[in-house]
Structure formats: structure tokens, C-alpha cells
Amino acid sequence: MTTVYIDGDAASNGTGADKDDPRNVIPTSATNGDTYLFKEGTKNYLTLNWTLSKTGVTLGTYDAATGEQITDSTLGRFATLSIVDTGSTNVMVINPGGTTNLHVTCLELVNDAPNAINWLGIYASSNSTGFQLTDCKIHAMRSPRAGTSSGNNGISLSGTAHVNCYIARNEIYDIGCDGINIAGTVGNTGLIIEDNYIHHVAQDNANGDCLQLSQKAPDFLIRRNVLDRRTGLVQKQCFIASTMTSTGGIFCDNDLYADDVATVVLYVDNAGAQVLRNRVFGGSQGIEVQGDGSIVAGNLVVAGSRHPVDYKGIRIAGGTGILVYNNTFASARVASDTSNGILQVTGTCTLKNNIVKGYSTGVTITSGSNSNNCLYDCTTNGITPAVTTDPQLRSGDHMPQSEDVRAAGAYLGHRDVYGKRFWAAPTIGAVQYQPARNLVAARAVAARRAVAA
């Protein structure tokens, strides 16, 4: 295993053995087991499919002064990788297709191949195992020839299966279509996506989502991401997991933002999926869930001030045994309002300890049970709630301050995904639980919350 130092601006082509003798010409193909470090502040051009079918390759950035590998993306120090223009239709900076344990870290990926139709930062043309993408910036995936192409994605994993894929602490923005699209057709097991900041997607194609699981992804873990869909063409989802026929999956502790004309902000179609402690702002519908045994708990869903008249806090579109508890659905009625806080279309569900405030119809439930719910300022409650007084939601985090509401709830004994009990027993309303985030995401959260408040 060899570490190769590369400086695209170096005057001559060295051995690449250290920072003082770097290569200025990138090898035509990566070598199994090698680490390739690019000098911070330089721009380097890879050839197409440079990493295809490689094993144990690492790509990163080295400190110009010390030669040490940079491992902290919060310092804002990156080498930039782009792609040699070959005129191909699909041009990706890095192709993890067929790779095993490929690790890409602390790099800026920019695609500027003018003859390509589809620009992608990461595109896996076939299966991968153990692919890791950490602490990177991916942007400018907008081909001038593409028009409204749906192929301009920040990350697109195609093929049939991607096993143990880990995507963490990246910023993905200025994207023509999807920020991340996981599309392995057979199954994407062991998928973890955490601590990413995805924004300014769908700049050229209205179908773009911040994060899409368009194929099977059983038992995924997606947590602590900031997904901002407020800038782009006709709005769609921040997160969508659809037509997957999968089971399990945890989507937790994420912040999602959408324009008021968006469709569903958060959509999950996985049997047994858990949607926990997310903060959902805007859209024409906060959450849609279907799938037997799904759990929706501890979420804060806030309608925008210009929300459509038929806004829904959550729509339960099918499945049996769905549990919806300790959520807060907050809105303010508009003219000719027909909004629903909780709308069950079909299936069976249990509603416990929820706050529903400011809707035309508080709750519509066709089959199931409800207890310890608070409904306030709804034209029609739809159910007989335990509490009808003002929950006195606190500005900023929307936690209830009313003693009537606090006293009416019941602790259900659940723990978070780390095995910890919630720091305070939930009463009625969303669980107050704020996990640590990476610096980039934390700054984004602070800025978005200031706007939301």
C-alpha cells in the first residue's frame, strides 16, 4: 500500500513519494490499496472511471505545509477534483461502481465537462461494497447541455446493490436534479446517511429531491441531516423513500425545509419504518407514511405562513398498526382553509400524546384509536381530545408550556436510536431532543431556525 502525493500545479512530474516531490500528472488508473492525496487549494482532473472496480483505494487532501492528510472538513481546506471531458453522455467525477472499500474524504468535487449531458459528482454504474464518502463538498452539477435532464445529481448510486454504504458530513448544493439518489435495484443494505447538509437542488429539473431512496433499502439509518428544498423549481420532496417494498429503516433527528408550494416534505413507504424526532417546516404536506407497523414519533411539523388551503400535517396512506405519538402539528388557518392536522386515508393507526393546533379539521381517523391528544384552535376537532386548551407552544422549538398539556401526557417507555432514554419524559407534543451535529450542519440549523421563528 502506497501513498501518492499529487499537485496539479507542480512544475514537473515527480515520483509522488512525498509533498516535496509530487506528481503533477495523475496516473491513468488508481491502484488497489493505494492512497491518493491531492494538494489543498489545487484543481486536479481525473480520467473517466478512474476508480472503477478498485479495492481499498482512498482519495483525500494533504496539507500543503506539512504533507499530512487533512481529516477535518470544518477547516474549509480542500483539493478540488474534476473530470477530463471525453464527450460522454454520463460524466462523473468518481465512479465507485464495482469497488470494495473505496473511501473519498475531504475533497471538493466539481464537474465542468462542457460536452457531457449528465453531470454527476458520484455515479456508481454497478454494485459497490463498503463505499464511504465523508467530509466533502459536491457542487456545480449542472450541465449547460442538459436543460432539464434528471441525470444531474450530486450522488447517484445505480446498479443492483450497494452494501454498507456510508455517506456523512458532506455539503451538497447547486445541483440540477437530486442531491442524493440511491437506486440499486435489488437492495441497498447497511445504508447510513448522516450529518449532511443538502441545499439548492432541483435547479434545472423540478423532479429533484434532496434525498431519494428510489429502490429497496431495508433497515437504513438516515439521521442528523439538514435537507433544504426551498430554492429550486416547482418543489418536491426533501426526503422520499417510495415504491421500495422494503422493511425497517430509521429516519431521525433531521431538519427539513420546503417552500409552501411543495408536495410532501417527508415521504416514507417502508413497513416497520421509524420516523423519529424530525423537524419539518413548510410544504403542502408535512409527512406521508404508509407501511405496516410504521412508527411516527417525536416530530415537529410546522406549516408555512402561505401554506395551501388543503395542507396536511401528516397523511396516513395505508398500512396496519401504524403508531403516531408525541408529535406536534402546528399551523394557522388561511382563507377557505380545508387543512387537516392528521388525516388517515386507509389502514389502522393509534394516535397518542399529539398536539394538533390551528387546522380546519384536527384529526380524521377512519380506523384505530386515540388517547391523550391535545387539539386547539381547530374549526372541527374530528375526535374527542383529552385537552382542548392552548398548548402555549414556545417560540423557536414549539415545546408546550401549558400545565394542562404537560399533565395529560403519558411516558411510553421508548428509547432513542442510541439506546438512551429521552432526557425528559415526554408529555403531549414532540420530544425535546437535540442531537449533536457537525459544524456545517449546526450553522445551517441555527440560520434556518432563526428564519422559521
Side-chain angles (χ1 to χ4, degrees):
M1 296 186 293
T2 302
T3 298
V4 180
Y5 292 81
I6 301 171
D7 175 2
D9 295 335
S12 60
N13 190 33
T15 64
D18 56 47
K19 71 175 182 64
D20 297 320
D21 191 25
R23 295 183 62 116
N24 68 358
V25 177
I26 299 173
T28 56
S29 179
T31 299
N32 290 339
D34 283 359
T35 295
Y36 296 86
L37 300 182
F38 299 85
K39 183 180 177 180
E40 62 171 310
T42 63
K43 188 171 185 178
N44 305 270
Y45 286 85
L46 304 179
T47 55
L48 192 62
N49 296 325
W50 193 67
T51 57
L52 185 66
S53 300
K54 301 301 179 181
T55 297
V57 170
T58 297
L59 307 182
T61 297
Y62 72 87
D63 186 301
T66 67
E68 295 180 358
Q69 183 174 353
I70 293 174
T71 58
D72 185 355
S73 64
T74 64
L75 301 176
R77 299 164 62 189
F78 303 94
T80 300
L81 296 187
S82 193
I83 186 71
V84 174
D85 187 13
T86 62
S88 299
T89 298
N90 294 319
V91 174
M92 72 296 297
V93 180
I94 295 173
N95 185 352
T99 62
T100 300
N101 298 333
L102 172 64
H103 187 192
V104 181
T105 183
C106 288
L107 286 165
E108 179 180 28
L109 306 185
V110 177
N111 199 331
D112 55 7
N115 293 309
I117 299 297
N118 295 326
W119 284 13
L120 304 107
I122 303 288
Y123 175 74
S125 58
S126 57
N127 304 345
S128 69
T129 300
F131 171 56
Q132 296 184 53
L133 178 74
T134 60
D135 300 283
C136 290
K137 288 174 63 176
I138 300 178
H139 63 102
M141 302 303 157
R142 302 178 63 190
S143 167
R145 295 182 57 203
T148 60
S149 171
S150 62
N152 293 325
N153 300 327
I155 301 171
S156 185
L157 302 185
S158 190
T160 58
H162 300 279
V163 178
N164 297 334
C165 177
Y166 182 63
I167 300 173
R169 302 181 303 278
N170 304 287
E171 183 176 10
I172 302 170
Y173 64 99
D174 193 22
I175 306 297
C177 195
D178 295 327
I180 298 177
N181 188 326
I182 308 297
T185 55
V186 173
N188 305 283
T189 59
L191 175 65
I192 299 177
I193 300 176
E194 62 184 10
D195 296 308
N196 300 282
Y197 178 28
I198 304 176
H199 59 103
H200 288 81
V201 300
Q203 299 299 292
D204 301 314
N205 187 298
N207 289 320
D209 305 306
C210 286
L211 172 55
Q212 179 177 170
L213 306 185
S214 58
Q215 297 292 342
K216 296 180 180 179
D219 299 317
F220 62 81
L221 175 57
I222 299 175
R223 62 184 176 187
R224 301 191 307 260
N225 300 282
V226 178
L227 308 178
D228 192 339
R229 187 61 175 77
R230 288 179 295 182
T231 53
L233 298 178
V234 178
Q235 303 295 306
K236 290 201 73 178
Q237 288 85 356
C238 287
F239 173 72
I240 177 171
S242 64
T243 61
M244 297 171 60
T245 61
S246 293
T247 58
I250 296 174
F251 187 86
C252 66
D253 301 309
N254 301 282
D255 282 1
L256 299 89
Y257 302 87
D259 285 340
D260 291 343
V261 295
T263 53
V264 186
V265 180
L266 168 57
Y267 181 97
V268 178
D269 180 9
N270 248 28
Q274 299 182 51
V275 179
L276 311 174
R277 300 183 307 275
N278 301 286
R279 288 149 294 274
V280 181
F281 297 95
S284 63
Q285 184 173 311
I287 298 174
E288 178 156 330
V289 63
Q290 53 186 315
D292 295 348
S294 297
I295 297 174
V296 181
N299 300 282
L300 170 63
V301 181
V302 181
S305 59
R306 299 180 303 277
H307 66 78
V309 296
D310 59 347
Y311 177 87
K312 302 168 186 65
I314 182 172
R315 181 175 183 265
I316 302 166
T320 60
I322 294 176
L323 177 60
V324 179
Y325 70 88
N326 281 104
N327 303 283
T328 296
F329 302 98
S331 183
R333 294 188 305 279
V334 296
S336 304
D337 196 289
T338 59
S339 62
N340 282 264
I342 300 174
L343 173 62
Q344 181 195 18
V345 177
T346 185
T348 61
C349 66
T350 299
L351 311 179
K352 294 182 180 181
N353 296 3
N354 299 287
I355 291 175
V356 180
K357 178 180 178 180
Y359 290 86
S360 176
T361 301
V363 175
T364 298
I365 182 170
T366 58
S367 178
S369 62
N370 67 90
S371 61
N372 291 327
N373 297 289
C374 170
L375 276 69
Y376 176 74
D377 193 25
C378 298
T379 304
T380 302
N381 285 336
I383 60 172
T384 302
V387 182
T388 56
T389 56
D390 187 350
Q392 300 174 18
L393 300 179
R394 187 166 57 196
S395 175
D397 63 4
H398 292 76
M399 297 304 298
Q401 303 303 298
S402 165
E403 290 303 321
D404 288 342
V405 171
R406 288 175 175 273
Y411 180 59
L412 300 180
H414 288 274
R415 298 175 183 267
D416 68 13
V417 294
Y418 311 104
K420 296 190 304 182
R421 293 173 67 95
F422 299 122
W423 73 269
T427 55
I428 286 181
V431 176
Q432 186 173 4
Y433 181 79
Q434 178 63 35
R437 287 182 166 86
N438 67 73
L439 183 59
V440 171
R443 288 172 176 165
V445 171
R448 298 307 184 275
R449 283 196 173 153
V451 173

